[in-house]
Every structure is written in structure tokens, then in C-alpha cells.
Amino acid sequence: MCFRLVLGCGSVCRGVIDHLAERDGRLLVVTDDAGVVETLRDESIPARDGDPSDPATVAAVDQPDVIFVGSDRTDVNRAALEAARDRFPGAAIVAYLGGNATAADRERFDALADRVVGPASALSEWVLAEAASPSAESAIELRDQLSGIDGRLAVMAHDNPDPDAIASAVALADIAESVGVPADACYFGDISHQENRAMVNLLELDLRNLGPTESLEEYSAFALVDHSRPGVNDQLPTELHVDIVIDHHPPRGPVPGEFVDLRQGAGATSTVLTEYVERFDLGFDPSTATALLYGIRVDTNDFTREVSPADFRAASVLSPHADASVLRQIEQPSLEGDTLETIARAIKNRIQRDSVAVASVGRIGDRDALPQAADQLLAMEGVETTLVFGFNDQMVYVSARSRAADVDLGETLRDAFDRIGSAGGHADMAGAQLEIGILGSADDEAEIESIVSVVEEVITNRFFEAIETRPGVPVGAYTQTSEWLFTKRGEPDGGESA
């Protein structure tokens, strides 16, 4: 719970106190005006009579999270600021300059305060909109959580991470390092999408690729970014103790974690991490800023999908620090031959009913070609919803896209495939993974092709029926006669496989 300390209560700070008193958390006002103290107490606002510029007064106060220095006088505010910073070096301090600030005063305020404000209106606006906001309190809680870690932190992106997960993991690792906690941005699986490999290579991002059997004993703490449950779309033990979770996807079950920040209103986890980098006053390294900006652009489809005001604001903050030339190189990589062949097979094999197109591309070497094929089908005239799937060993990977206002792909894929595999995602972008257990016992190529043909029919019909009945209505066809083909597996969570 956030503890806010107000030192001095001049005319510029009175309105701020009224609003702070309405917020959750603890509040204490210290002022040498006995009349103000009495008035505040009459309004049930905790207040103490004391000189806010006296170090002895400040020393008698518990450790606050946020301090507001708000007397009308510059000399009092400067002394209070100096005493507060000396007594509470880790607190966030907002200080009002007062009405008679000199150049020397301004220099001193800039050196000691996290934010210095001049005009009274600006102080009130900034305090209410920024320092007292939930995101400011979350930053304080995150700092406390990080500071309590004794050892190395593993910041885990989901399997086969997309740009949003990669950028978020790198940014959180940077934040942890800034408070003295060694950290690694980690992931299981592969980064195989051309744009994602280009992003990591061109920006020289420091990532650790963990193997399925690799020991995690060197890590004392774990953070999850862009997903929220261990063992779901990552290869961590499901019973793992999680210290930090930062995500923007709606949770599909209980979310473990000592510190949890789920911003379902944000279009990308990179948006949330941009706010934290700002709050921690780290400054933006060009590589991290470029990665975060690209993560936002990809997850919001260049600000056209599930975008929020926070995404636009984060992009405006990142843009001056991002490397535009590198960003162009990332966004325009050369397509590999296998990807082009997968796209061609999707176009050739598509089955279209009204504005919905479904295509099997057969066996694939790179499952990350599937979302690109789904995007290409969506660009065809008369098509508003697409589903493309392919086979790799005993797995079927499914990728779907939609721009239809009345289709929620995440719910549609769960309706279609949850009983024979697992599925998830957003309203306009989703994925599924299905394991064909019977393929492991097939003896020859003819038998394999026969099984694949049946599976193709099952997947196609399940999806069309789920689209026709819309989310929430049980799927009737093929629910029992073909479930023996499949073995359930882990749930995707908006990564590259989607």
C-alpha cells in the first residue's frame, strides 16, 4: 500500500491533498501551520504540526513511497527537499519551486527531486495525473519487489517469443539491473520468424535461449512477461514460484506472482514496460526503445488492432529514441523460400465459404510461416477471416486472422479445438496446437497420409462450424467421432505460433 508524505501545505498543495485523501493508501501531511493542521484533522486527513524543513521533523516520519514538497516558500521547500532526500534516498519526490526561486535554487531542486514543478496549476495537474496514478504506485511496488530479490532474476518470455515478448523481457531485465539485481532475458523454443530474428540481430539484444532440460538453479527469482502462468506456453514447471508477472492478455486461470500487473486495456506488454522505464527514470537506450516501439507496432498491427491511448503515448515517448533506419530493416526482411512456398500452398489449397477461408499447407519445417500465410489470405478480395494450419511431426499448428467485427477468433478457436488440443489469442489474431498421437504409431507413408487427410477434414469442419454457431455455442460435428486422433497439449498465448 502506497504511503504518501506531504511536506508543507501552501496554497498550491491544498487541492492536491484533497484528492490524495480520496485515494487508497496512507497519507500524512506535515506543516508548521497549526490552523491548517486543525482543519485537515477536522476533515479526517492525517496531519502533524511540525517544521517540514527541519531534519528532526522528517526523521520522525516512517519511510514513505512518495513525497510531495508543497510549501509556498522556495527556501522552506529547498530545506525540506534536502532533509527528505537525505532521510529517504529511495523515495520518489515531487517538489514545488515556490514563488522566488533563483538559478541556484533551480539547480539544487533538479539535483535532488525526481520531478520539479513551477506553476501551481502544473503541480496539481502532474501530481494528480502522474505521481498519484495507479501506474506510479505499481512502479513503487515493482521497485520494492525487485529490491527484495537476493540473487539472479530470470525474465521469461513465452515460447518462440514475438517482438512484444522479446522487447518486454529485455526492458524488464534492464530495469532489474538498474536497481542492482542481475537479470537475464530468457526464452524457450526458437526465434524463427524473419522479422523477429532481424530484430534480435540488428539491435544486438541480449537474450538467453534455454534448453528443455536446462537447470534453472542459478536463478533466485522469476518474472513472466507477455504471458501470465508458468508451464503455459513456456517450459517452466507449473508449480514454479513466480515473483513478477507483467502482461496485457486476459488471464485464463489463476495468475501466480508476488507482483502482478495485468493491463488488459493496453495493446502490448511493451506499452506497460515503456511506462516502467519512464517511472524508473532510466532513459531509453536506442536498442531497447526500438525494440519496444516495434513490439507495440506488431501487437497493435500498426495501431489498427486493440489499440489504446496508452499505446499511442508510449510510441510518442519511444519515437525520439528509436533508430528509424534499423526499424525499416527489421520490417522489410527478405522472405525465405520455405515461407513463400507455404504462402503459395495456402492460396492454392484454400477452401472458402462466404468471407471465411481455411487452408491446409501440409507438412511444414517452419511453423512461423503460418501467420504470414494467414495474413496473405486475409489480403485477398472478399476474405475477412482466415485459418491456416500445417503439420510438423505429431503436431498440428494453427494460425488464424480476422477483420470481421462479429468474429472473436480467440473464443472461436477455443470452441473449435479445446476438446482436442488447446487454443487461445485475441479477437482478431489467435492460434492453436493439436497433437496427433496416432501418427506416432503409423507404419508407412500411405497410412500417414490417410490420417493427415482425416485430420484436415476435422480441423476444417470444426472451424467452419464454430464460425457458423459463433462463440459460446457448443460445436456439434466431430466432437466425439474424431477425438481419439488427438492428445491434449499446452495452451498458446499470443506468441509467434499464433
Side-chain angles (χ1 to χ4, degrees), residues 200-434:
V200 172
N201 294 333
L202 290 172
L203 296 176
E204 298 182 348
L205 300 178
D206 190 9
L207 298 168
R208 180 177 179 184
N209 186 198
L210 297 172
T213 60
E214 198 159 347
S215 173
L216 301 174
E217 292 183 357
E218 67 183 280
Y219 295 108
S220 302
F222 295 85
L224 307 182
V225 293
D226 206 35
H227 69 303
S228 57
R229 294 162 60 196
V232 177
N233 204 21
D234 64 30
Q235 297 177 44
L236 295 172
T238 56
E239 70 278 4
L240 181 75
H241 176 82
V242 177
D243 298 84
I244 296 166
V245 176
I246 302 177
D247 190 15
H248 76 115
H249 297 98
R252 301 189 185 96
V255 177
E258 299 291 331
F259 171 87
V260 176
D261 188 353
L262 298 180
R263 304 274 190 94
Q264 297 180 45
T269 305
S270 291
T271 295
V272 182
L273 265 300
T274 299
E275 289 187 17
Y276 280 127
V277 173
E278 272 196 295
R279 296 288 183 189
F280 278 70
D281 198 25
L282 299 187
F284 285 96
D285 172 80
S287 291
T288 303
T290 306
L292 288 168
L293 180 57
Y294 186 54
I296 295 170
R297 290 177 60 171
V298 169
D299 255 37
T300 63
N301 194 26
D302 265 335
F303 306 100
T304 63
R305 176 180 62 216
E306 297 185 5
V307 66
S308 71
D311 302 311
F312 287 110
R313 182 188 178 279
S316 69
V317 169
L318 294 167
S319 292
H321 308 283
D323 190 324
S325 62
V326 172
L327 196 56
R328 284 192 294 271
Q329 293 180 64
I330 294 171
E331 293 176 321
Q332 298 174 353
S334 57
L335 286 177
E336 296 176 352
D338 287 347
T339 300
L340 289 172
E341 289 180 9
T342 298
I343 294 172
R345 290 200 301 272
I347 294 172
K348 178 182 179 182
N349 297 342
R350 73 186 186 280
I351 299 172
Q352 186 169 343
R353 298 181 188 174
D354 297 324
S355 63
V356 180
V358 178
S360 169
V361 296
R363 297 182 185 181
I364 54 174
D366 177 11
R367 69 177 189 172
D368 294 304
L370 295 175
Q372 296 179 76
D375 285 332
Q376 289 296 320
L377 285 186
L378 195 63
M380 298 181 68
E381 184 177 358
V383 175
E384 293 186 340
T385 301
T386 65
L387 181 136
V388 178
F389 61 95
F391 301 81
N392 188 316
D393 294 328
Q394 297 180 46
M395 292 296 298
V396 181
Y397 296 101
V398 180
S399 183
R401 298 288 187 269
S402 182
R403 57 168 175 260
D406 60 343
V407 173
D408 185 327
L409 277 180
E411 292 301 319
T412 300
L413 262 63
R414 279 189 283 272
D415 280 347
F417 303 122
D418 256 357
R419 292 187 64 180
I420 60 174
S422 61
H426 300 279
D428 53 2
M429 178 179 70
Q433 299 177 18
L434 319 172

Side-chain angles (χ1 to χ4, degrees), residues 144-166:
D144 289 344
Q145 185 66 41
L146 289 169
S147 299
I149 294 174
D150 182 16
R152 197 167 194 86
L153 171 69
V155 183
M156 299 299 309
H158 53 66
D159 281 0
N160 313 302
D162 61 0
D164 188 28
I166 294 169

Side-chain angles (χ1 to χ4, degrees), residues 1-4 64-67 90-92 131 133-147 259 276 279-280:
M1 183 174 293
C2 185
F3 173 27
R4 306 178 185 89
D65 298 299
V66 180
I67 300 173
S133 70
S135 60
E137 295 179 13
S138 293
I140 293 168
E141 294 173 6
L142 177 58
R143 183 187 293 273
D144 289 344
Q145 185 66 41
L146 289 169
S147 299
F259 171 87
Y276 280 127
R279 296 288 183 189
F280 278 70

Side-chain angles (χ1 to χ4, degrees), residues 4-53:
R4 306 178 185 89
L5 172 65
V6 178
L7 297 176
C9 186
S11 58
V12 300
C13 203
R14 189 60 176 88
V16 172
I17 291 172
D18 291 339
H19 285 83
L20 292 180
E22 299 174 357
R23 296 181 178 272
D24 293 335
R26 182 183 169 198
L27 171 65
L28 175 64
V29 180
V30 177
T31 177
D32 57 4
D33 189 327
V36 171
V37 170
E38 184 177 354
T39 299
L40 291 174
R41 288 175 176 173
D42 288 343
E43 297 173 4
S44 299
I45 296 174
R48 182 180 300 176
D49 189 356
D51 183 356
S53 64

